[in-house]
Amino acid sequence: MIIPPGFASFSEYSDQFLRNVAVDNVIFGYHEKELKVLLQQPYTLEKWTVTGGYIKKTESIEDAASRIAFDRTGIKGLYLKQFGSFGNPQRVIDDGFTPQRIGKITGFELPADSWIFDYFVSVAFYTLTEFSKVESTKGELEADSRWWPVNELPPMMFDHAHIINEALSALRLHIAHFPIGYELLPEKFTLPEIHSLYETILGKSLDDRNFTKKLLLTKIITKLDETRKIGRHRSPFLYKFDKEHYQEGLKSGVALVF
Amino acid sequence: MIIPPGFASFSEYSDQFLRNVAVDNVIFGYHEKELKVLLQQPYTLEKWTVTGGYIKKTESIEDAASRIAFDRTGIKGLYLKQFGSFGNPQRVIDDGFTPQRIGKITGFELPADSWIFDYFVSVAFYTLTEFSKVESTKGELEADSRWWPVNELPPMMFDHAHIINEALSALRLHIAHFPIGYELLPEKFTLPEIHSLYETILGKSLDDRNFTKKLLLTKIITKLDETRKIGRHRSPFLYKFDKEHYQEGLKSGVALVF
């Protein structure tokens, strides 16, 4: 726990939070065939972390996740899905998280037996957004904040690379059972565009015809009587989401196992 | 946190645990068409709780869950599946969890601003076992420990009724995608027996023929050349699990959405 400016002591700041438990948000961003994840680099570390923060005693874990996600992305109402909690004693070792180092940066001297140096359980959420819409804002405590391609991660703190992998598995399981795309594609899109969205998130190629057939069976998209010229001889039809079936799918699920 | 006998002070006992985060295990038991859940009643409360406990600083959350499950059931190696974490400020209100009450029972006077009275995030796991195999052992801190039918729960502490519901949803989702039954049915069983197992866990009736068809398609059970006489004119064939397909199904999943 790093103390932001304006607090007189460690306990004045830390007393508002639960101890030994925190929230991590894995914020995925999709944009034109790229899947990225928002990472930050605290001043205290050379390694990177997913976005996260502490839980106020007065808020639920879900409220903490929303507050922290809003802080980092400026987007309100991001759909955050809890996918697991992570906790083991190795979470504090070898990542420069020492009383000395923290004291140097914050100006507060913490006792070496403070609970802050016991491991923290991380309650982890993920979300998926359109990353060109997000201005990632680096907090006062971060040296850097940036979108990274999910398959080219920088050195990560603790088990954060593992947390991202688990979030990705949860996201992939999710899109096999629920519709996605509403906020990730333009209002009118081509079949190749939605095909690329699924391929990018799943990280594998999907047979064209089979994909289209399954997708149309779910009725979440509708063909428009309209084409888009994308090349001299190519003018594919446009599609849009069918609001009713999409909403119904969000509730009851759709069969899209690939 | 209730202090067991043999400790000289609150902090001597509590210093071995993480603060404000704990583990809860929802232990389901199946036996002859009944689905039950193991609950305990602490001395400090009139209400009941799922089985749970605190996390040692030296162990992972998974190790804590296993240790606590073994304490309560005497079974080693129970398969515990994490299905969610629960935390909100309402978790401490109105359940008799006061400094006075705890002091009276434990003999320790705790300061009212102790972290023990801030809310705890619960990392929750579930498991499913054969309840006739389990001797539920009541700890020194519990007034009672008992199997309850999942649809006839006693008054529950905090959000524990909600946690049981969420565990049940997770279990139902799980059996739609992975095989179960290996430790819940006799080695050789009839189709009505495995049919009842699924109906009991899903809490709804399943069309006989449709169920059998889907189950046989998964190849996780094999028909034996053997019958069991269960009535004057009824000698249904016996089945057993096919070890190879069952194991494969545990890894890759099976399609059993009902």
Side-chain angles (χ1 to χ4, degrees), chain B:
Chain B
M1 191 178 286
I2 311 305
I3 300 107
F7 288 89
S9 69
F10 170 67
S11 63
E12 185 187 315
Y13 174 68
S14 68
D15 274 1
Q16 57 186 316
F17 299 109
L18 295 183
R19 300 151 195 82
N20 298 120
V21 58
V23 156
D24 280 314
N25 292 328
V26 182
I27 299 179
F28 290 117
Y30 176 81
H31 184 66
E32 286 177 7
K33 302 190 190 183
E34 277 191 298
L35 185 63
K36 298 193 172 183
V37 58
L38 185 62
L39 302 179
Q40 56 188 35
Q41 191 182 33
Y43 276 117
T44 37
L45 290 176
E46 266 126 50
K47 297 187 180 173
W48 292 72
T49 71
V50 299
T51 64
Y54 300 95
I55 303 161
K56 291 182 182 168
K57 294 173 183 175
T58 53
E59 70 188 357
S60 67
I61 52 181
E62 291 78 16
D63 288 345
S66 294
R67 174 179 53 79
I68 294 160
F70 175 68
D71 270 6
R72 298 297 186 279
T73 63
I75 303 182
K76 271 200 176 151
L78 268 180
Y79 168 73
L80 291 157
K81 192 164 165 57
Q82 198 195 117
F83 67 94
S85 291
F86 301 85
N88 65 66
Q90 281 76 50
R91 298 196 99 226
V92 293
I93 291 168
D94 268 352
D95 279 303
F97 197 67
T98 62
Q100 291 74 25
R101 181 142 193 204
I102 290 176
K104 222 165 154 185
I105 287 159
T106 62
F108 292 111
E109 266 184 47
L110 304 183
D113 67 348
S114 163
W115 53 267
I116 198 84
F117 300 112
D118 295 324
Y119 86 80
F120 271 63
V121 171
S122 157
V123 182
F125 296 78
Y126 76 79
T127 192
L128 176 59
T129 183
E130 222 288 359
F131 72 71
S132 66
K133 287 181 193 162
V134 177
E135 288 233 13
S136 81
T137 41
K138 134 177 136 55
E140 274 171 324
L141 304 169
E142 284 120 44
D144 204 348
S145 173
R146 204 188 293 183
W147 289 101
W148 289 80
V150 288
N151 39 20
E152 286 167 46
L153 299 179
M156 300 291 299
M157 186 183 69
F158 298 164
D159 51 0
H160 282 211
H162 172 65
I163 291 178
I164 292 171
N165 267 331
E166 291 291 303
L168 203 49
S169 296
L171 172 60
R172 285 170 177 168
L173 190 67
H174 185 83
I175 72 166
H177 295 93
F178 296 95
I180 54 153
Y182 202 75
E183 281 152 351
L184 304 174
L185 294 172
E187 201 197 328
K188 299 172 183 182
F189 50 85
T190 63
L191 284 179
E193 280 172 333
I194 193 167
H195 189 203
S196 291
L197 169 68
Y198 276 86
E199 285 194 331
T200 303
I201 293 174
L202 290 169
K204 64 177 182 189
S205 29
L206 299 170
D207 176 72
D208 233 354
R209 229 188 291 179
N210 202 13
F211 170 78
T212 306
K213 192 179 131 200
K214 281 189 181 173
L215 189 65
L216 290 174
L217 272 175
T218 68
K219 299 183 179 164
I220 62 170
I221 66 169
T222 319
K223 195 174 179 176
L224 297 172
D225 195 19
E226 200 177 324
T227 58
R228 189 199 298 153
K229 200 169 165 61
I230 57 170
R232 207 159 159 183
H233 300 291
R234 294 180 62 207
S235 296
F237 273 99
L238 290 171
Y239 288 76
K240 66 169 187 177
F241 286 109
D242 177 285
K243 245 190 181 163
E244 206 176 311
H245 283 107
Y246 194 97
Q247 287 300 330
E248 180 55 33
L250 286 181
K251 257 188 278 170
S252 318
V254 292
L256 269 172
V257 183
F258 300 110

Side-chain angles (χ1 to χ4, degrees), chain A residues 31 73 75 129-135 182-185:
Chain A
H31 184 67
T73 62
I75 303 182
T129 183
E130 220 288 359
F131 72 72
S132 66
K133 286 181 193 161
V134 178
E135 289 233 15
Y182 202 76
E183 280 152 351
L184 304 174
L185 293 174

